[in-house]
Amino acid sequence: MAQATQSAVAELVCFEPSCRARYAITDVLYSCPKCGGLLEANYDGPAQDPEQLKRLFRERRMDNSPINQSGVWRYRELMPFLDDYKHVVTLREGNTPLLNAPSAAKYGGLDAVVFKHQGFNPTGSFKDNGMTAGASQAKRLGMTRVACVSTGNTSASMAAYAASAGMEPLIFLPNGKIAFSKLAQALEYGAKTLQVEANFDQILALIRVLAERLGIYLLNSMNPFRVEGQKAIMFEMLDQRDWKVPDWVVLPGGNLGNTSAFGKGLREAKALGLIDKLPRLAVIQAEHSAPFDEYWKRGGTGEFHAVTNPETLATAIRIGDPVSWPKALHEVRTTNGTVEKVTEQEIADAKAQIGLAGIGCEPASAATLAGIKKLVAQGVIDKGADVVAVLTGNVMKDPDYIYKYHTGQLEAPDGTKIRGTFANQALVVPNDADKIAELLKK
Ligand code: F0G
């Protein structure tokens, strides 16, 4: 088997170009104590041979050890922040497929599209890729309680990883604003679950105060180690394509942790010589939860305006004040990418089309195909482009939305009716073979 090269020196560095303060990798920090900026893990290590690394990653797929079976830790040379891999908490996350979807491509106006489906993860969303890294760092730090605020998926994921590692999960949710299946997951994994009468952004401010006061480790997406794990979504995608770089990577944007992670991972892969160019990132937001889109279209300069009352039926991305916007802006700019927003109707119809391709996803994920359709129509994405769209969550995450769409009962948060353009309704039939046969002839 190809050998891993020597380990790197890891530290936390402030993301703000004017600050760049450095901290120990084991400091419990979520933002820079000097300037309040976001933190990121930085590595200084010996040069690695990219071809040897590619061989090593490929060989590990054949190995049955938990760390090599994980679609995150398999790429550990690209996120070398742990001093000892005995801390790794893994549910064999990642290992998610690339799925071709000709009918969805046609709907989006493309010749072809490939979905990287993160809904195949152990708790059904991409959050598992980041949570394995965040939970492992928590273990390494000797933490016993971990907490997050969540629109649902982070909490489901954190609950599972904490439980599997013997840590106590503490979850804060915006009351009544998360999909029922996600709440159910948190309860099943034994998380202490608090539903707060506030929105995601307000609760995030609240738990930052509580974490410090109670000595609880925060596993929200501004936790720099979560970002490290989520980078592996791009590494695995590239590995599955034999390191052929797509023209575009399209993803939904909420708190913008994923955008930050993808950009960082891609930049680092290029710096190491694993790839020779960057794909362009296209971040898609829901119309009434789209502060990043607004900022981008204002040139990405001046003050960032949060949306005070974000709304969308795609509750996973119902976020008005995304913490990671400075990182995300850097990544979209660096990759010559773009940002767009889509309506509730566009998300609903795109979601139904992803279902009709035999794939399915949760509402937030469908923003990708809706965004592709819009960007192709605008001429931003070429019809013949090589496009990978990241589906962030599993179809079973929000069955209520599905049922309402197909029965014409789905309403946007402002009361507007969503048309069931591709509705598919169950039929009630008598217990009568002749009548059923007659019906099925049509
Ligand atoms: N898609 C899904 C299914 C999500 O759960 C989220 C975020 C996003 C997209 C947006 O990703 O925040 O990295 O831009 N869910 C978080 C949560 C906020 O609490 O589960 P992002």
Side-chain angles (χ1 to χ4, degrees):
M1 187 183 267
Q3 290 300 305
T5 36
Q6 269 175 291
S7 59
V9 177
E11 58 184 2
L12 289 172
V13 178
C14 175
F15 187 75
E16 283 305 311
S18 58
C19 178
R20 298 300 285 173
R22 295 155 66 178
Y23 305 94
I25 199 77
T26 46
D27 285 352
V28 180
L29 296 171
Y30 313 105
S31 54
C32 175
K34 274 200 188 136
C35 77
L38 296 164
L39 294 171
E40 66 174 7
N42 240 28
Y43 309 107
D44 192 10
Q48 312 208 49
D49 173 1
E51 293 311 314
Q52 191 189 351
L53 278 177
K54 286 178 190 178
R55 271 198 309 278
L56 181 64
F57 299 150
R58 191 57 65 90
E59 282 169 9
R60 283 177 179 162
R61 287 203 212 171
M62 304 296 287
D63 184 286
N64 281 330
S65 62
I67 195 171
N68 287 341
Q69 285 282 300
S70 162
V72 172
W73 295 103
R74 186 179 300 140
Y75 303 99
R76 54 192 174 271
E77 282 74 14
L78 309 182
M79 39 176 276
F81 64 86
L82 284 181
D83 54 347
D84 189 334
Y85 290 109
K86 73 173 186 229
H87 303 298
V88 166
V89 183
T90 174
L91 294 169
R92 317 299 183 269
E93 52 290 321
N95 299 304
T96 63
L98 289 178
L99 302 171
N100 289 306
S103 61
K106 191 162 175 236
Y107 176 78
L110 290 173
D111 292 341
V113 72
V114 169
F115 290 118
K116 173 74 173 154
H117 204 328
Q118 293 304 109
F120 282 62
N121 261 298
T123 78
S125 84
F126 75 95
K127 301 294 178 177
D128 295 340
N129 288 68
M131 204 53 73
T132 183
S136 301
Q137 176 72 2
K139 259 317 230 197
R140 173 223 204 140
L141 296 171
M143 297 291 171
T144 54
R145 297 174 95 187
V146 291
C148 69
V149 53
S150 176
T151 57
N153 282 322
T154 297
S155 54
S157 181
M158 192 196 78
Y161 281 80
S164 85
M167 296 184 286
E168 189 190 343
L170 182 56
I171 284 167
F172 294 77
L173 303 170
N175 196 12
K177 297 289 186 186
I178 78 162
F180 194 64
S181 306
K182 302 177 187 177
L183 173 61
Q185 282 183 289
L187 298 175
E188 187 80 354
Y189 298 132
K192 183 167 285 171
T193 304
L194 308 176
Q195 295 189 268
V196 188
E197 296 289 350
N199 69 28
F200 178 92
D201 309 302
Q202 295 161 328
I203 305 172
L204 185 56
L206 178 78
I207 67 164
R208 288 182 79 155
V209 175
L210 281 171
E212 202 157 320
R213 201 180 290 177
L214 301 174
I216 300 169
Y217 192 60
L218 282 190
L219 281 172
N220 267 99
S221 69
M222 81 266 189
N223 179 309
F225 301 98
R226 292 242 340 259
V227 169
E228 289 307 291
Q230 281 170 219
K231 291 187 319 193
I233 299 168
M234 290 296 98
F235 302 148
E236 188 178 73
M237 176 274 291
L238 290 164
D239 189 1
Q240 287 165 317
R241 293 169 50 99
D242 299 324
W243 301 90
K244 179 175 173 285
V245 180
D247 297 319
W248 289 92
V249 171
V250 186
L251 74 161
N255 220 13
L256 302 172
N258 231 8
T259 308
S260 313
F262 288 9
K264 184 173 192 275
L266 292 164
R267 278 190 287 111
E268 291 172 348
K270 183 161 177 271
L272 276 167
L274 290 164
I275 51 176
D276 56 8
K277 62 170 187 169
L278 297 174
R280 302 172 74 181
L281 291 178
V283 181
I284 316 298
Q285 296 208 289
E287 186 179 30
H288 297 298
S289 300
F292 190 52
D293 173 72
E294 188 270 336
Y295 191 56
W296 176 259
K297 285 173 185 163
R298 227 175 344 106
T301 51
E303 214 178 309
F304 185 88
H305 301 314
V307 172
T308 324
N309 286 311
E311 284 297 355
T312 171
L313 293 175
T315 49
I317 50 173
R318 185 174 170 271
I319 292 175
D321 194 6
V323 282
S324 296
W325 72 260
K327 286 184 178 176
L329 180 67
H330 176 75
E331 304 308 349
V332 177
R333 278 187 175 149
T334 305
T335 63
N336 188 25
T338 194
V339 185
E340 194 45 87
K341 66 179 173 190
V342 289
T343 65
E344 296 293 310
Q345 183 71 51
E346 287 167 334
I347 292 174
D349 288 340
K351 180 171 144 52
Q353 283 293 326
I354 295 167
L356 284 168
I359 293 173
C361 64
E362 71 163 282
S365 311
T368 52
L369 183 59
I372 287 170
K373 189 172 168 66
K374 194 164 173 182
L375 290 169
V376 172
Q378 290 168 357
V380 177
I381 298 183
D382 289 338
K383 185 175 176 294
D386 181 359
V387 179
V388 173
V390 179
L391 299 180
T392 44
N394 191 279
V395 67
M396 291 314 292
K397 285 280 188 177
D398 197 348
D400 185 56
Y401 182 106
I402 301 178
Y403 184 76
K404 285 184 173 153
Y405 176 84
H406 288 288
T407 53
Q409 299 174 64
L410 197 61
E411 275 183 14
D414 67 1
T416 314
K417 250 201 147 30
I418 306 282
R419 283 184 313 282
T421 318
F422 307 107
N424 178 27
Q425 295 201 28
L427 303 175
V428 179
V429 293
N431 182 10
D432 180 325
D434 291 340
K435 289 201 172 123
I436 294 174
E438 188 58 30
L439 187 89
L440 294 180
K441 260 191 219 153
K442 286 176 197 158

